[in-house]
C-alpha cells in the first residue's frame, strides 16, 4: 500500500473515533443530531480552551473523561483494577 493510502486510512480512523466520542457522550441524541448546534458547542469549547480559564477547563474535562472511561471499563481489562481475593 502506498504511503498516502496508509496516512489516509489513519486519518479516517481517527475521525471516526472522534465522531464516536460525540455519540458516546450522548451529544447526538441531546441535540437531535443538529449539526449546527454540535458545531457551535465545539466552537464554544475551543473558545473556552483559548481563554484565561483554559487550563482549568482542560484539567476538569480531562478528569471527567478519564473517570467516565474508567467507569465503563470492565474489571480485569487492561490489567487488574480490582484486587484478587484468595480462594482457599
Amino acid at each position: 500500500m502506498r504511503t498516502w493510502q496508509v496516512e489516509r486510512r489513519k486519518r479516517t480512523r481517527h475521525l471516526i473515533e472522534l465522531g464516536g466520542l460525540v455519540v458516546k457522550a450522548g451529544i447526538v441524541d441531546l441535540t437531535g443530531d443538529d449539526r449546527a448546534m454540535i458545531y457551535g458547542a465545539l466552537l464554544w469549547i475551543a473558545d473556552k480552551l483559548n481563554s484565561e480559564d483554559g487550563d482549568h477547563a482542560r484539567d476538569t474535562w480531562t478528569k471527567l473523561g478519564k473517570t467516565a472511561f474508567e467507569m465503563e471499563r470492565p474489571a480485569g481489562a487492561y490489567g487488574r483494577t480490582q484486587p484478587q481475593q484468595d480462594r482457599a
Side-chain angles (χ1 to χ4, degrees):
M1 208 177 317
R2 295 183 176 161
T3 304
W4 67 268
Q5 290 172 315
V6 171
E7 292 302 315
R8 183 172 181 220
R9 286 187 179 180
K10 283 173 41 177
R11 181 179 182 274
T12 299
R13 179 176 177 87
H14 182 73
L15 293 173
I16 290 168
E17 289 172 351
L18 291 173
L21 291 174
V22 173
V23 173
K24 182 179 228 144
I27 293 173
V28 174
D29 292 334
L30 291 169
T31 62
D33 200 13
D34 183 334
R35 310 290 169 94
M37 187 185 308
I38 294 169
Y39 186 45
L42 293 171
L43 290 172
W44 178 79
I45 291 169
D47 284 344
K48 185 70 169 177
L49 292 172
N50 281 321
S51 74
E52 293 176 0
D53 296 331
D55 289 335
H56 177 69
R58 237 178 229 94
D59 292 341
T60 301
W61 296 340
T62 298
K63 287 176 189 172
L64 285 170
K66 285 181 179 181
T67 301
F69 278 136
E70 287 293 320
M71 294 297 289
E72 70 184 28
R73 184 170 75 183
Y78 312 112
R80 237 168 251 261
T81 57
Q82 297 178 349
Q84 182 85 14
Q85 292 184 354
D86 292 330
R87 295 186 182 161

